[in-house]
Amino acid sequence: MDTIDKVDGAVLLKKGAEASLFIADWHRRKVVIKMRVPKRYRPKELDEQIRSYRTVHEPQLMHEAKTAGVPTPLIYMVNVPESLIVMEYVEGQQVKQLLNGASKSERHEVCVKIGESIAKLHRHGLIHGDLTTSNMIQTPQGKIVFVDFGLGEKNMELEAQGVDLHLLKRALQSTHYQFWEECLQSVLCGYTSVLGALAAEKVYGKIREIERRGRYVEERKQ
Amino acid sequence: MSKIRKSESGSYCLGIESSADDFGIGIASFNGEILANQSDCYIPTEGGIHPREAARHHAETADKVLRQALNKAGIKPSDLTCIAFSQGPGLGPCLRTGATVARALASYLQIPLVGVNHSVAHIEIGKLKTGAKDPVTLYASGGNTMVTAYESGRYRVFGETLDIALGNCLDVFAREAGLKHKQGVPLGAAVEQLAAGGGRLVSLPYVVKGMDLSLSGLLTAATAQLHGGNCSLEDLCYSLQEHAFSMVSEVTERALAHTEKKEVLLTGGVAANKRLQSMLNVIAEEHAAKFSVVPLQYATDNGAMIAWTGVLAFQHGLTTPIDTSYVRLRWRVDKVDVPWIR
Ligand SMILES: Nc1ncnc2c1ncn2[C@@H]1O[C@H](COP(=O)(O)OP(=O)(O)O)[C@@H](O)[C@H]1O
Ligand SMILES: [Mg+2]
């Protein structure tokens, strides 16, 4: 935590599973410092590999997402040896919280925007890798900003796109089980509107395939 | 529940487990005592589980295991209050064999039948035996790998494998390495022993996607190293375990941070692995949560867990009419209502 102490008045925003996030003042900008902390449970070598890989990739993917037309925080600085990313602080509300207090039509509106953004990422060969409603922030202007690209990758394959959407579906099921189906419908609606029915249907077919395979004993590998 | 307990302290449920290679029968009393937990494992002469041969094994050993269980518990069939069976998920022919035995017993004794979800049973026996109340559970076995936690009436799945199960990954690798499955010594245990002799980390794929993970790439890469590489089998076993266990641990930690629960439970066949236990223990410590692991005899598939979950369901009025007691090969844990938790 030494490096954080050097930044004036860093305040813990969130201690997640993977990273600690601090809000700080950095050259008179309000920033978020994301620090991937070492994990004692895994071998040091593996731990360092994983943390530096993600620290390098997250800003790259955030940058490319912007090019694809999906809002992400501006990156100010990356420090790989310390697994640190300094980025713009995004004002707004986590979509996770927002959905729980929103009306049905508000939920629809937000989820359509999410679907559109995911389609834009996929069209540009970007996979987010951790599509959950905690990783999306709605700004006061109504933009949806995507964060947390550490598990993302550049990949044009249908399979990867299917898994990406499947993960969002799973996240909706576990976090918003009261209205997950409705939210998913709206997401797919936005997704289809950007990609076109034909391309979108291919991805949906893939999702169905992903759900049918693996993890079920029936198909276990012999 | 305490009300029922008093009046029915002499009540017993017999549970039948047959979803994969183990055929097990357990007997649980309504107040949570396990009176018997007998089983017989089908060991293929070669390769993995052949569902039909395993089913035949189950049919052939059913009556022996049943007799052992009743003897061990010291009760007569007429003392039983209900018959529970593993209704899914699992291998079709295997599940059907257990279901047939269960239906026959229930109709003959004229007592209710209770279809139990195999995954729920692994969680419930873990809770019963460790005293965990509301844990984030990593259930890792030959056929399943998932991270669940209770939320509004059901166990929700927070993370799971997108392809093969953790135990399956270790088993297939072990077989590729020429290790043999012996009664009482699962292949995973053989990998664990070898891994203890290794220490050089071979770089292998590490694939976490959101809260889910993928193990098939890891298995393929490890197998390729086995056949073409220049690393020792010990180092490979070590590296396979470190990668695979780190992945499931990372996913478990995410679920723990997300749900903010204060307990971590490890259950299923792979729970026997000491290295996996120690990783989860570290994670629990860091989140000020209590770690527990299901005792060995209840880690692998067993009849006791079915019997105990049968008790919980029966006490909440859940029984399964014979004509709807067909097996459910892909019965997901998050589709099951668990009214006994509140
Ligand atoms: N740039 C940012 N501005 C404002 N809030 C952020 C920013 N980045 C992340 N957050 C908030 O912090 C939380 C955790 O950050 P995230 O990058 O998702 O890390 P983790 O790996 O812990 O999930 C997010 O869910 C989001 O609410
Ligand atoms: Mg996040």
PDB file of all heavy atoms in Angstrom, chain A residues 59-75 88 121 124 126 149:
ATOM      1  N   PRO A  59      -6.271  -1.354 -19.412  1.00  0.00           N
ATOM      2  CA  PRO A  59      -6.269  -0.039 -20.074  1.00  0.00           C
ATOM      3  C   PRO A  59      -6.314  -0.140 -21.589  1.00  0.00           C
ATOM      4  O   PRO A  59      -6.976   0.659 -22.244  1.00  0.00           O
ATOM      5  CB  PRO A  59      -4.941   0.580 -19.623  1.00  0.00           C
ATOM      6  CG  PRO A  59      -4.508  -0.207 -18.454  1.00  0.00           C
ATOM      7  CD  PRO A  59      -5.071  -1.569 -18.601  1.00  0.00           C
ATOM      8  N   GLN A  60      -5.636  -1.134 -22.144  1.00  0.00           N
ATOM      9  CA  GLN A  60      -5.660  -1.300 -23.603  1.00  0.00           C
ATOM     10  C   GLN A  60      -7.078  -1.530 -24.102  1.00  0.00           C
ATOM     11  O   GLN A  60      -7.522  -0.910 -25.066  1.00  0.00           O
ATOM     12  CB  GLN A  60      -4.790  -2.493 -24.014  1.00  0.00           C
ATOM     13  CG  GLN A  60      -3.312  -2.182 -24.003  1.00  0.00           C
ATOM     14  CD  GLN A  60      -2.470  -3.418 -24.328  1.00  0.00           C
ATOM     15  OE1 GLN A  60      -2.999  -4.535 -24.474  1.00  0.00           O
ATOM     16  NE2 GLN A  60      -1.167  -3.227 -24.421  1.00  0.00           N
ATOM     17  N   LEU A  61      -7.764  -2.419 -23.431  1.00  0.00           N
ATOM     18  CA  LEU A  61      -9.123  -2.734 -23.864  1.00  0.00           C
ATOM     19  C   LEU A  61     -10.067  -1.554 -23.637  1.00  0.00           C
ATOM     20  O   LEU A  61     -10.965  -1.303 -24.425  1.00  0.00           O
ATOM     21  CB  LEU A  61      -9.638  -3.982 -23.148  1.00  0.00           C
ATOM     22  CG  LEU A  61      -8.942  -5.277 -23.575  1.00  0.00           C
ATOM     23  CD1 LEU A  61      -9.346  -6.424 -22.658  1.00  0.00           C
ATOM     24  CD2 LEU A  61      -9.281  -5.637 -25.019  1.00  0.00           C
ATOM     25  N   MET A  62      -9.842  -0.819 -22.543  1.00  0.00           N
ATOM     26  CA  MET A  62     -10.680   0.358 -22.290  1.00  0.00           C
ATOM     27  C   MET A  62     -10.506   1.367 -23.409  1.00  0.00           C
ATOM     28  O   MET A  62     -11.460   1.976 -23.870  1.00  0.00           O
ATOM     29  CB  MET A  62     -10.303   1.001 -20.965  1.00  0.00           C
ATOM     30  CG  MET A  62     -10.879   0.292 -19.758  1.00  0.00           C
ATOM     31  SD  MET A  62     -10.501   1.246 -18.297  1.00  0.00           S
ATOM     32  CE  MET A  62     -11.415   0.360 -17.068  1.00  0.00           C
ATOM     33  N   HIS A  63      -9.270   1.510 -23.840  1.00  0.00           N
ATOM     34  CA  HIS A  63      -8.992   2.433 -24.926  1.00  0.00           C
ATOM     35  C   HIS A  63      -9.692   1.991 -26.208  1.00  0.00           C
ATOM     36  O   HIS A  63     -10.343   2.766 -26.891  1.00  0.00           O
ATOM     37  CB  HIS A  63      -7.484   2.541 -25.145  1.00  0.00           C
ATOM     38  CG  HIS A  63      -7.124   3.306 -26.369  1.00  0.00           C
ATOM     39  ND1 HIS A  63      -7.209   4.682 -26.411  1.00  0.00           N
ATOM     40  CD2 HIS A  63      -6.743   2.887 -27.612  1.00  0.00           C
ATOM     41  CE1 HIS A  63      -6.891   5.079 -27.629  1.00  0.00           C
ATOM     42  NE2 HIS A  63      -6.599   4.024 -28.379  1.00  0.00           N
ATOM     43  N   GLU A  64      -9.586   0.717 -26.510  1.00  0.00           N
ATOM     44  CA  GLU A  64     -10.216   0.221 -27.733  1.00  0.00           C
ATOM     45  C   GLU A  64     -11.738   0.291 -27.660  1.00  0.00           C
ATOM     46  O   GLU A  64     -12.400   0.478 -28.680  1.00  0.00           O
ATOM     47  CB  GLU A  64      -9.754  -1.206 -28.005  1.00  0.00           C
ATOM     48  CG  GLU A  64      -8.248  -1.247 -28.178  1.00  0.00           C
ATOM     49  CD  GLU A  64      -7.803  -2.337 -29.129  1.00  0.00           C
ATOM     50  OE1 GLU A  64      -8.655  -2.834 -29.891  1.00  0.00           O
ATOM     51  OE2 GLU A  64      -6.613  -2.672 -29.089  1.00  0.00           O
ATOM     52  N   ALA A  65     -12.265   0.121 -26.464  1.00  0.00           N
ATOM     53  CA  ALA A  65     -13.724   0.216 -26.303  1.00  0.00           C
ATOM     54  C   ALA A  65     -14.194   1.612 -26.705  1.00  0.00           C
ATOM     55  O   ALA A  65     -15.233   1.765 -27.359  1.00  0.00           O
ATOM     56  CB  ALA A  65     -14.114  -0.096 -24.863  1.00  0.00           C
ATOM     57  N   LYS A  66     -13.435   2.612 -26.319  1.00  0.00           N
ATOM     58  CA  LYS A  66     -13.791   3.995 -26.686  1.00  0.00           C
ATOM     59  C   LYS A  66     -13.853   4.131 -28.206  1.00  0.00           C
ATOM     60  O   LYS A  66     -14.771   4.723 -28.751  1.00  0.00           O
ATOM     61  CB  LYS A  66     -12.767   4.988 -26.135  1.00  0.00           C
ATOM     62  CG  LYS A  66     -12.898   5.249 -24.673  1.00  0.00           C
ATOM     63  CD  LYS A  66     -12.024   6.439 -24.289  1.00  0.00           C
ATOM     64  CE  LYS A  66     -11.711   6.418 -22.807  1.00  0.00           C
ATOM     65  NZ  LYS A  66     -10.674   5.455 -22.423  1.00  0.00           N
ATOM     66  N   THR A  67     -12.846   3.562 -28.870  1.00  0.00           N
ATOM     67  CA  THR A  67     -12.824   3.598 -30.332  1.00  0.00           C
ATOM     68  C   THR A  67     -14.069   2.930 -30.904  1.00  0.00           C
ATOM     69  O   THR A  67     -14.585   3.327 -31.944  1.00  0.00           O
ATOM     70  CB  THR A  67     -11.590   2.832 -30.858  1.00  0.00           C
ATOM     71  OG1 THR A  67     -10.530   3.035 -29.950  1.00  0.00           O
ATOM     72  CG2 THR A  67     -11.201   3.293 -32.228  1.00  0.00           C
ATOM     73  N   ALA A  68     -14.537   1.908 -30.208  1.00  0.00           N
ATOM     74  CA  ALA A  68     -15.728   1.196 -30.676  1.00  0.00           C
ATOM     75  C   ALA A  68     -17.010   1.966 -30.365  1.00  0.00           C
ATOM     76  O   ALA A  68     -18.092   1.538 -30.749  1.00  0.00           O
ATOM     77  CB  ALA A  68     -15.773  -0.189 -30.041  1.00  0.00           C
ATOM     78  N   GLY A  69     -16.881   3.044 -29.625  1.00  0.00           N
ATOM     79  CA  GLY A  69     -18.055   3.848 -29.303  1.00  0.00           C
ATOM     80  C   GLY A  69     -18.696   3.517 -27.964  1.00  0.00           C
ATOM     81  O   GLY A  69     -19.838   3.864 -27.697  1.00  0.00           O
ATOM     82  N   VAL A  70     -17.940   2.829 -27.102  1.00  0.00           N
ATOM     83  CA  VAL A  70     -18.456   2.491 -25.767  1.00  0.00           C
ATOM     84  C   VAL A  70     -17.698   3.313 -24.724  1.00  0.00           C
ATOM     85  O   VAL A  70     -16.475   3.214 -24.627  1.00  0.00           O
ATOM     86  CB  VAL A  70     -18.279   0.986 -25.484  1.00  0.00           C
ATOM     87  CG1 VAL A  70     -18.704   0.651 -24.067  1.00  0.00           C
ATOM     88  CG2 VAL A  70     -19.072   0.169 -26.491  1.00  0.00           C
ATOM     89  N   PRO A  71     -18.410   4.139 -23.963  1.00  0.00           N
ATOM     90  CA  PRO A  71     -17.731   4.984 -22.975  1.00  0.00           C
ATOM     91  C   PRO A  71     -17.009   4.168 -21.906  1.00  0.00           C
ATOM     92  O   PRO A  71     -17.571   3.213 -21.367  1.00  0.00           O
ATOM     93  CB  PRO A  71     -18.873   5.775 -22.339  1.00  0.00           C
ATOM     94  CG  PRO A  71     -20.030   5.652 -23.268  1.00  0.00           C
ATOM     95  CD  PRO A  71     -19.854   4.359 -23.989  1.00  0.00           C
ATOM     96  N   THR A  72     -15.757   4.533 -21.625  1.00  0.00           N
ATOM     97  CA  THR A  72     -14.982   3.933 -20.534  1.00  0.00           C
ATOM     98  C   THR A  72     -14.195   5.067 -19.874  1.00  0.00           C
ATOM     99  O   THR A  72     -14.033   6.122 -20.476  1.00  0.00           O
ATOM    100  CB  THR A  72     -13.972   2.885 -21.068  1.00  0.00           C
ATOM    101  OG1 THR A  72     -13.111   3.517 -22.021  1.00  0.00           O
ATOM    102  CG2 THR A  72     -14.658   1.707 -21.731  1.00  0.00           C
ATOM    103  N   PRO A  73     -13.691   4.874 -18.661  1.00  0.00           N
ATOM    104  CA  PRO A  73     -12.930   5.944 -18.014  1.00  0.00           C
ATOM    105  C   PRO A  73     -11.641   6.244 -18.782  1.00  0.00           C
ATOM    106  O   PRO A  73     -11.057   5.338 -19.375  1.00  0.00           O
ATOM    107  CB  PRO A  73     -12.595   5.370 -16.629  1.00  0.00           C
ATOM    108  CG  PRO A  73     -13.444   4.178 -16.459  1.00  0.00           C
ATOM    109  CD  PRO A  73     -13.826   3.689 -17.804  1.00  0.00           C
ATOM    110  N   LEU A  74     -11.216   7.484 -18.727  1.00  0.00           N
ATOM    111  CA  LEU A  74      -9.919   7.849 -19.306  1.00  0.00           C
ATOM    112  C   LEU A  74      -8.822   7.255 -18.447  1.00  0.00           C
ATOM    113  O   LEU A  74      -8.934   7.235 -17.225  1.00  0.00           O
ATOM    114  CB  LEU A  74      -9.747   9.366 -19.284  1.00  0.00           C
ATOM    115  CG  LEU A  74     -10.438  10.173 -20.366  1.00  0.00           C
ATOM    116  CD1 LEU A  74     -10.358  11.658 -20.018  1.00  0.00           C
ATOM    117  CD2 LEU A  74      -9.773   9.899 -21.716  1.00  0.00           C
ATOM    118  N   ILE A  75      -7.763   6.782 -19.079  1.00  0.00           N
ATOM    119  CA  ILE A  75      -6.647   6.229 -18.314  1.00  0.00           C
ATOM    120  C   ILE A  75      -5.571   7.310 -18.185  1.00  0.00           C
ATOM    121  O   ILE A  75      -5.174   7.921 -19.167  1.00  0.00           O
ATOM    122  CB  ILE A  75      -6.050   5.004 -19.035  1.00  0.00           C
ATOM    123  CG1 ILE A  75      -7.115   3.931 -19.253  1.00  0.00           C
ATOM    124  CG2 ILE A  75      -4.869   4.450 -18.245  1.00  0.00           C
ATOM    125  CD1 ILE A  75      -7.657   3.314 -18.005  1.00  0.00           C
ATOM    126  N   GLU A  88      -9.745   8.070 -14.695  1.00  0.00           N
ATOM    127  CA  GLU A  88     -10.754   9.091 -14.428  1.00  0.00           C
ATOM    128  C   GLU A  88     -11.814   8.546 -13.468  1.00  0.00           C
ATOM    129  O   GLU A  88     -12.227   7.392 -13.576  1.00  0.00           O
ATOM    130  CB  GLU A  88     -11.394   9.447 -15.778  1.00  0.00           C
ATOM    131  CG  GLU A  88     -12.649  10.265 -15.717  1.00  0.00           C
ATOM    132  CD  GLU A  88     -13.383  10.252 -17.061  1.00  0.00           C
ATOM    133  OE1 GLU A  88     -12.979   9.512 -17.982  1.00  0.00           O
ATOM    134  OE2 GLU A  88     -14.352  10.985 -17.186  1.00  0.00           O
ATOM    135  N   LEU A 121     -18.999  -3.415 -28.806  1.00  0.00           N
ATOM    136  CA  LEU A 121     -17.740  -4.068 -28.422  1.00  0.00           C
ATOM    137  C   LEU A 121     -17.505  -5.285 -29.307  1.00  0.00           C
ATOM    138  O   LEU A 121     -16.434  -5.448 -29.893  1.00  0.00           O
ATOM    139  CB  LEU A 121     -17.786  -4.517 -26.952  1.00  0.00           C
ATOM    140  CG  LEU A 121     -17.785  -3.440 -25.861  1.00  0.00           C
ATOM    141  CD1 LEU A 121     -17.910  -4.102 -24.485  1.00  0.00           C
ATOM    142  CD2 LEU A 121     -16.513  -2.601 -25.921  1.00  0.00           C
ATOM    143  N   HIS A 124     -16.438  -4.820 -32.761  1.00  0.00           N
ATOM    144  CA  HIS A 124     -15.032  -4.438 -32.900  1.00  0.00           C
ATOM    145  C   HIS A 124     -14.065  -5.513 -32.415  1.00  0.00           C
ATOM    146  O   HIS A 124     -12.898  -5.244 -32.173  1.00  0.00           O
ATOM    147  CB  HIS A 124     -14.761  -3.142 -32.129  1.00  0.00           C
ATOM    148  CG  HIS A 124     -15.069  -1.932 -32.946  1.00  0.00           C
ATOM    149  ND1 HIS A 124     -16.367  -1.526 -33.208  1.00  0.00           N
ATOM    150  CD2 HIS A 124     -14.262  -1.063 -33.587  1.00  0.00           C
ATOM    151  CE1 HIS A 124     -16.332  -0.440 -33.961  1.00  0.00           C
ATOM    152  NE2 HIS A 124     -15.065  -0.138 -34.201  1.00  0.00           N
ATOM    153  N   LEU A 126     -14.086  -7.011 -29.510  1.00  0.00           N
ATOM    154  CA  LEU A 126     -13.731  -6.885 -28.095  1.00  0.00           C
ATOM    155  C   LEU A 126     -14.679  -7.695 -27.237  1.00  0.00           C
ATOM    156  O   LEU A 126     -15.897  -7.667 -27.434  1.00  0.00           O
ATOM    157  CB  LEU A 126     -13.814  -5.414 -27.664  1.00  0.00           C
ATOM    158  CG  LEU A 126     -12.856  -4.451 -28.355  1.00  0.00           C
ATOM    159  CD1 LEU A 126     -13.165  -3.023 -27.947  1.00  0.00           C
ATOM    160  CD2 LEU A 126     -11.420  -4.814 -27.979  1.00  0.00           C
ATOM    161  N   PHE A 149     -12.250  -4.182 -17.243  1.00  0.00           N
ATOM    162  CA  PHE A 149     -11.951  -4.975 -18.435  1.00  0.00           C
ATOM    163  C   PHE A 149     -10.821  -5.980 -18.201  1.00  0.00           C
ATOM    164  O   PHE A 149     -10.276  -6.538 -19.149  1.00  0.00           O
ATOM    165  CB  PHE A 149     -11.559  -4.051 -19.608  1.00  0.00           C
ATOM    166  CG  PHE A 149     -12.736  -3.378 -20.278  1.00  0.00           C
ATOM    167  CD1 PHE A 149     -13.421  -2.340 -19.646  1.00  0.00           C
ATOM    168  CD2 PHE A 149     -13.165  -3.783 -21.537  1.00  0.00           C
ATOM    169  CE1 PHE A 149     -14.502  -1.716 -20.266  1.00  0.00           C
ATOM    170  CE2 PHE A 149     -14.245  -3.164 -22.158  1.00  0.00           C
ATOM    171  CZ  PHE A 149     -14.916  -2.132 -21.528  1.00  0.00           C
TER     172      PHE A 149
END
